[in-house]
């Protein structure tokens, strides 16, 4: 007796369960990451203003260095998920190990660059004479943990590809708790000052990397996958990551240009911009969680040669992205009387931020579509198109943003340019998904 085909309602419910099961833990892990910096800031802040300023400069450098390599998570998720869909778990784990070995190599290269150039990097970021020594100390010690940070990225991608976002959540929470405890103990208990904070973070990151490696190695032994470095596999992982690196650098350039333009508008504008940017980043975590689910789910469907399932999942995730975007926008509008006073009591800053804040709220459904389609195309391994689309978006955004001060526009105009940037991204991503060229099935793209 043949089984009746699933109804559209049953298919939607199945997709909803998959999206929620992957996105909710992913959101928790994403939120836990910035808490590391917040905990360090809270602890170091009591040492003095110069120490906190030094931490701010060093943290900005470290965050930039690590975020550039986010492709280690994205590319690994897509590649592993395809092999999971194809039913080849040994190959999936082997692919993940290639990403982890690449992370170790890149981490070693970053250490080799950062250690001797730390003073120059700190000076480039404009640290004061009093803050610079603390920034150099923190940067040099924390740089030793960069290989562990990159391993965490790659191993997170492995587990996401294996359809597991719960383990990264548990590791992230445990890492945050360990980091906070170590910082307090080393900064104050051992009297190491800002160096103690850096060592605490390094130890916590190494512990997280060890936890991930234990999970991956256990899976490799269970399925008979090799743990040895494979030059061809590492090279393939690097090649898959290059387009995503271009995409990430282009996006970082957009954010840097927006901040630079806001700084030229005056103190109130740059202060308001930083408040709105922090909110925009927080909202991005919620939308990025759906994108992460998209990477894992789409990769699995395509690996299983299920093009129809991939299209249906894509459609349902877009609906989720729009719905979550609408909810987030409404929450921003409703909470604006409470949100702005949390950051400033300056009436001018609040008045400057309010119109731009409303614009951010109204653009959230657009952001929802962008994040979801970005995740879908990453899951499909469509990195070259994502790179091209983001470079095009940067080319459109840059002249518009740079014209804002010349034309007398204020902060609202800057965020108007940011909204235009997201709209361009939405159009380019929607055209690609509509074309169907991203639907390439099989264990490899």
């Amino acid at each position: 007796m043949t089984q009746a085909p699933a109804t559209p309602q049953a298919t939607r419910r199945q997709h909803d369960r998959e999206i929620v099961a992957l996105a909710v833990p992913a959101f928790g892990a994403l939120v836990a990451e910035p808490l590391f910096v917040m905990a360090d800031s809270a602890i170091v802040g009591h040492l003095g203003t110069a120490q906190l300023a030094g931490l701010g400069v060093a943290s900005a450098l470290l965050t930039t260095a690590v975020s550039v390599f986010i492709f280690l998570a994205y590319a690994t998720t897509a590649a592993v998920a395809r092999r999971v869909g194809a039913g080849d778990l040994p190959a999936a784990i082997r692919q993940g190990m290639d990403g982890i070995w690449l992370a170790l190599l890149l981490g070693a290269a970053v250490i080799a660059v950062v250690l001797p150039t730390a003073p120059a990097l700190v000076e480039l970021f404009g640290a004061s004479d009093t803050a610079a020594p603390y920034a150099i100390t923190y940067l040099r010690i924390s740089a030793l943990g960069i290989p562990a940070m990159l391993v965490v990225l790659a191993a997170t991608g492995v587990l996401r590809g294996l359809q597991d976002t719960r383990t990264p959540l548990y590791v992230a929470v445990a890492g945050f708790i360990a980091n906070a405890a170590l910082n307090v103990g080393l900064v104050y208990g051992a009297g190491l000052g800002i160096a103690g904070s850096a060592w605490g973070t390094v130890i916590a990151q190494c512990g997280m990397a060890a936890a991930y490696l234990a999970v991956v190695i256990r899976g490799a032994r269970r399925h008979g996958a090799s743990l040895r470095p494979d030059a061809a596999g590492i090279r393939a992982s690097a090649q898959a990551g290059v387009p995503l690196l271009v995409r990430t650098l282009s996006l970082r350039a957009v954010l840097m240009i927006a901040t630079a333009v806001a700084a030229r508008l005056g103190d109130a504008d740059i202060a308001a911009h930083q408040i709105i940017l922090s909110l925009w980043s927080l909202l991005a975590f919620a939308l990025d969680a759906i994108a992460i689910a998209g990477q894992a789910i789409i990769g699995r469907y395509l690996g299983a040669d299920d093009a129809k399932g991939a299209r249906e999942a894509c459609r349902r995730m877009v609906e989720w992205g729009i719905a979550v975007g609408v909810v987030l926008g409404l929450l921003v509008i409703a909470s604006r009387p409470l949100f702005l006073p949390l950051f400033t009591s300056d009436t001018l800053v609040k008045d400057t931020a309010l119109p731009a804040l409303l614009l951010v709220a109204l653009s959230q459904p657009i952001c929802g579509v962008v994040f979801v389609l970005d995740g879908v195309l990453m899951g499909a391994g469509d990195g070259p198109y994502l790179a091209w689309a983001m470079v095009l978006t940067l080319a459109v955004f840059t002249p518009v943003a740079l014209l804002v001060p010349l034309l007398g526009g204020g902060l609202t105009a800057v965020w108007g340019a940011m909204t235009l940037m997201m709209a361009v991204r939405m159009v380019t991503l929607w055209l690609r998904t509509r074309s169907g060229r991203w639907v390439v099935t099989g264990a490899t793209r």
Side-chain angles (χ1 to χ4, degrees), residues 103-379:
L104 287 170
L105 292 173
L106 291 173
V110 173
I111 288 178
V113 171
V114 170
L115 289 182
T117 62
L121 291 171
V122 167
E123 184 180 356
L124 182 66
F125 264 60
S128 67
D129 292 339
T130 53
Y134 297 110
I136 293 168
T137 296
Y138 190 93
L139 181 59
R140 278 182 165 157
I141 296 172
S142 295
L144 300 177
I146 286 179
M149 295 180 197
L150 300 189
V151 166
V152 167
L153 287 179
T156 299
V158 176
L159 295 181
R160 288 173 182 171
L162 294 171
Q163 317 296 298
D164 176 10
T165 56
R166 289 183 179 271
T167 299
L169 171 61
Y170 300 149
V171 174
V173 171
F176 167 71
I177 294 171
N179 177 66
L182 286 165
N183 269 257
V184 171
L186 294 174
V187 171
Y188 297 110
L192 296 180
I194 195 169
S197 177
W199 281 117
T201 300
V202 169
I203 294 169
Q205 291 286 356
C206 289
M208 292 172 66
Y212 275 118
L213 289 174
V215 173
V216 174
I217 290 171
R218 186 167 63 245
R221 288 175 175 168
R222 184 186 308 125
H223 296 286
S226 174
L227 297 172
R228 295 179 179 178
D230 176 67
I234 294 171
R235 186 165 53 251
S237 294
Q239 289 171 346
V242 168
L244 296 180
L245 175 61
V246 172
R247 167 202 167 275
T248 300
L249 290 174
S250 299
L251 182 56
R252 296 290 299 184
V254 165
L255 299 177
M256 290 175 64
I257 290 169
T259 300
V261 170
R264 289 176 177 271
L265 299 176
D267 290 346
D269 293 88
I270 187 60
H273 175 75
Q274 288 303 115
I275 294 171
I276 296 170
L277 188 60
S278 66
L279 174 64
W280 193 77
S281 300
L282 178 62
L283 298 173
F285 285 137
L287 298 172
D288 203 25
I290 306 174
I292 287 168
Q295 294 171 30
I297 292 169
I298 294 298
R300 192 188 74 236
Y301 273 115
L302 294 177
D305 292 325
D306 188 354
K308 181 174 180 290
R311 290 190 179 93
E312 289 174 347
C314 173
R315 189 177 306 112
R316 188 56 178 163
M317 280 183 282
V318 169
E319 292 170 359
W320 268 82
I322 295 171
V324 172
V326 169
V327 171
L328 291 176
L330 291 174
L331 286 174
V332 170
I333 292 172
S335 65
R336 70 188 188 280
L338 301 174
F339 176 75
L340 289 175
L342 287 176
F343 289 86
T344 181
S345 57
D346 189 319
T347 303
L348 179 58
V349 173
K350 288 190 284 189
D351 290 344
T352 302
L354 185 58
L357 190 65
L358 293 175
L359 192 57
V360 168
L362 294 173
S363 68
Q364 285 309 296
I366 296 174
C367 295
V369 174
V370 169
F371 275 81
V372 167
L373 293 183
D374 206 38
V376 165
L377 296 183
M378 283 184 191

